[in-house]
Amino acid sequence: LHIETEKRLAAEAAAELVEEGMTVGLGTGSTVAYLLPALARRKLEISCVATSLATFDVAREMGLRVQPFTGIDHLDIAIDGADQVDPVGWLVKGGGGAHTREKIVAGASQRYVVIVSSNKLVDTLAVPIPLELLAFGIDATRCQLGDVRLTHAPISPDGGVLAGYFGPLGDPAKLACRLSATPGVVSHGLFPPTMVSDILVGHGNQVNWRHVD
Ligand code: DER
């Protein structure tokens, strides 16, 4: 059906969760693009941090108060998209190349709300898993990881090299551990269910709400 409508409905529902005085983490991507105007329309006194320059610029244009993520040791809520969501709440993120900052924001937020259209729901996660690698020793890092290919936008705003893991996925928890433990991997796009509070899924003209335990 209309994926854009589903993205907008999920984003508008998430915007309602933000309250006066909150510090808010803003994700990156085309679903979050619907969140920003919905949030701005509420004219709340809130402080926002952005997970990409694109989000920063648009949020500023919308009149949201966006500031660098310094001097803030936690966020009340963060709202972000995802590329894939599995039945227990594992996410694959990083399609927009922003997963390093998105994971930092997710980890710092009291409540992490994921907004997706229904096409993002999968029974089983699939590769590629986005990666950010340090350039130093990158060939040795790639050799330890297995099938890793460099992607379109090679350099991240934090100076790392953006790539994708195309090897066997198997159990997401085991792969997430192996990716995190491999020296030279700055971050990867597997976000565990423990990181997620709520998943708002646009479905036709409804929004299904999944609370992740
Ligand atoms: O890059 C990212 O992690 C984005 O959040 C991505 O996963 C979702 O982008 P979309 O809302 O444009 O599909």
Side-chain angles (χ1 to χ4, degrees), residues 3-4 7 27-34 51 79-84 92-100 102 112 115-117 119-120 130 189 191:
I3 288 183
E4 293 309 309
K7 290 181 179 181
T28 290
S30 61
T31 309
V32 162
Y34 290 105
T51 53
I79 305 169
D80 199 354
D83 297 314
Q84 303 174 53
V92 171
K93 285 180 51 57
H99 58 285
T100 297
E102 290 174 330
Y112 188 58
I115 51 177
V116 290
S117 44
N119 60 304
K120 303 296 184 60
F191 285 43

Side-chain angles (χ1 to χ4, degrees), residues 113-152:
V113 179
V114 174
I115 51 177
V116 290
S117 44
S118 60
N119 60 304
K120 303 296 184 60
L121 302 182
V122 297
D123 290 333
T124 313
L125 300 178
V127 293
I129 306 296
L131 300 172
E132 180 161 358
L133 308 174
L134 279 192
F136 178 84
I138 192 165
D139 300 294
T141 302
R142 290 176 66 183
C143 179
Q144 291 166 62
L145 288 171
D147 185 0
V148 169
R149 304 171 201 170
L150 301 188
T151 52
H152 52 288

Side-chain angles (χ1 to χ4, degrees), residues 7-17 34-35 38 41 115 200:
K7 290 181 179 181
R8 181 176 53 77
L9 293 176
E12 288 172 354
E16 295 306 307
L17 303 176
Y34 290 105
L35 170 75
R41 276 198 294 275
I115 51 177
L200 275 57

